Amino acid sequence: MSNVSHLPNQRRAAILEILARGEAVSAAKLAADYAVSEDAIRRDLRKLAAEGLCEKVYGGALPVAPSAQPVSVRTTEDVERKEALAKAALSLIRPRHCLFLDVGSTNIILAEHLPLNLELTVVTNSIPVVAKLMGKKGLNVFSLGGAVNADVGGTTGSQTIRALEAFRFDLAFLGTCGLCREIGVSAYDAQDADVKRAAVSASDRVVILATEQKLGARLPHRILPFGEIDCLVLEARLSEECLSEFRTETNQLLTAAPPAARSGAV
């Protein structure tokens, strides 16, 4: 390690070997391993990210994701952590609210936990969300038409946007592909991004539920500046330093109880 620590090119090559194995890297661990400062490692990661060789996230980097995983894959990943986020978000919902549930695996779980005694109206472009809510008494459910995008798991395009514009939402739960302070909420798919922007325009408040791996990710299509997020639901497992970075004077920051803490709850 000592030779690598003083040669940035060799150090970056070693980092790339780790990423090539499909593993995430931590700036703090790399700094300790290579006996350099975290600032030096962050410079390495920024350079690799600028060259398209990794995906820079808070506290480290991820292997490059060539595209978003299809919803059929995402619904099987980090289920307990997403459920914790969804349950924390329920505290935001009030009687007779009109909700927009965007495409996204966390919103599918949120749909499962919606209370049935609040006379809620739920509008969604997510095919799996509609499937979860069909037949549930106590909810008024509207499915937005349009071209079905199998990768995002719902409808997108101009027809979806026109249907969405007929509603006004108290809360919009946006599906989130990437979130960072510098550019805000971002997405992989252009047409998916268009629907999300339309939902923001039609909503009184925008809510973002984000697992740790979404933090720091910068994707091609910008949705919403960070300062315009009304409520952000993050994992309690995050460090206070990380939570502080995502806390502002204007947003409401909620943290979700970790799955282990909830497993013994009555």
Side-chain angles (χ1 to χ4, degrees), residues 142-153:
F142 292 85
S143 178
L144 299 177
V148 175
N149 184 324
D151 287 336
V152 303

Side-chain angles (χ1 to χ4, degrees), residues 124-174:
T124 184
N125 63 327
S126 167
I127 304 299
V129 166
V130 172
K132 293 289 183 185
L133 298 182
M134 276 196 311
K136 285 197 173 185
K137 295 182 179 179
L139 297 176
N140 298 310
V141 181
F142 292 85
S143 178
L144 299 177
V148 175
N149 184 324
D151 287 336
V152 303
T155 57
T156 59
S158 59
Q159 186 175 346
T160 305
I161 292 172
R162 286 196 298 272
L164 185 153
E165 289 172 344
F167 294 91
R168 184 207 60 82
F169 307 113
D170 295 289
L171 298 172
F173 292 90
L174 287 193

Side-chain angles (χ1 to χ4, degrees), residues 2 10 23 38 48 53-54 72 77 80 87 113 148 152 161 166 177 183 187 190 198 202-203 208 225-226 236 244 254:
S2 59
Q10 292 183 23
E23 300 175 17
E38 287 192 41
L48 293 174
L53 299 175
C54 73
S72 59
E77 298 174 337
E80 289 188 341
K87 288 188 173 182
H113 293 286
V148 175
V152 303
I161 292 172
C177 304
I183 67 170
S203 302
I208 301 296
F226 184 81
S244 296
L254 302 178

Side-chain angles (χ1 to χ4, degrees), residues 21-197:
R21 297 197 295 266
E23 300 175 17
V25 295
S26 159
K29 185 177 186 304
L30 290 173
D33 287 346
Y34 299 146
V36 296
S37 69
E38 287 192 41
D39 282 343
I41 295 296
R42 282 192 283 267
R43 287 194 293 272
D44 290 339
L45 298 180
R46 282 196 295 268
K47 180 173 177 59
L48 293 174
E51 295 172 358
L53 299 175
C54 73
E55 182 181 332
K56 182 77 174 67
V57 296
Y58 185 86
L62 300 174
V64 172
S67 63
Q69 293 288 338
V71 70
S72 59
V73 173
R74 288 181 279 124
T75 53
T76 66
E77 298 174 337
D78 301 320
V79 173
E80 289 188 341
R81 291 165 59 190
K82 293 173 182 177
E83 185 175 23
L85 292 173
K87 288 188 173 182
L90 292 177
S91 65
L92 301 169
I93 299 172
R94 299 289 180 266
R96 292 174 293 282
H97 263 177
C98 182
L99 312 176
F100 176 69
L101 295 193
D102 190 16
V103 295
S105 55
T106 306
N107 281 346
I108 296 171
I109 296 174
L110 176 61
E112 294 178 339
H113 293 286
L114 287 177
L116 304 181
N117 61 344
L118 299 183
E119 300 179 47
L120 300 176
T121 297
V122 182
V123 181
T124 184
N125 63 327
S126 167
I127 304 299
V129 166
V130 172
K132 293 289 183 185
L133 298 182
M134 276 196 311
K136 285 197 173 185
K137 295 182 179 179
L139 297 176
N140 298 310
V141 181
F142 292 85
S143 178
L144 299 177
V148 175
N149 184 324
D151 287 336
V152 303
T155 57
T156 59
S158 59
Q159 186 175 346
T160 305
I161 292 172
R162 286 196 298 272
L164 185 153
E165 289 172 344
F167 294 91
R168 184 207 60 82
F169 307 113
D170 295 289
L171 298 172
F173 292 90
L174 287 193
T176 307
C177 304
L179 174 67
C180 69
R181 285 293 299 256
E182 292 77 15
I183 67 170
V185 183
S186 55
Y188 289 99
D189 185 274
Q191 289 193 322
D192 178 34
D194 288 339
V195 174
K196 294 180 192 303
R197 294 188 198 101

Side-chain angles (χ1 to χ4, degrees), residues 80-81 83-84 87 235-237 255-266:
E80 289 188 341
R81 291 165 59 190
E83 185 175 23
K87 288 188 173 182
E235 297 180 83
R237 59 187 269 166
T255 54
R262 295 184 298 107
S263 61
V266 179

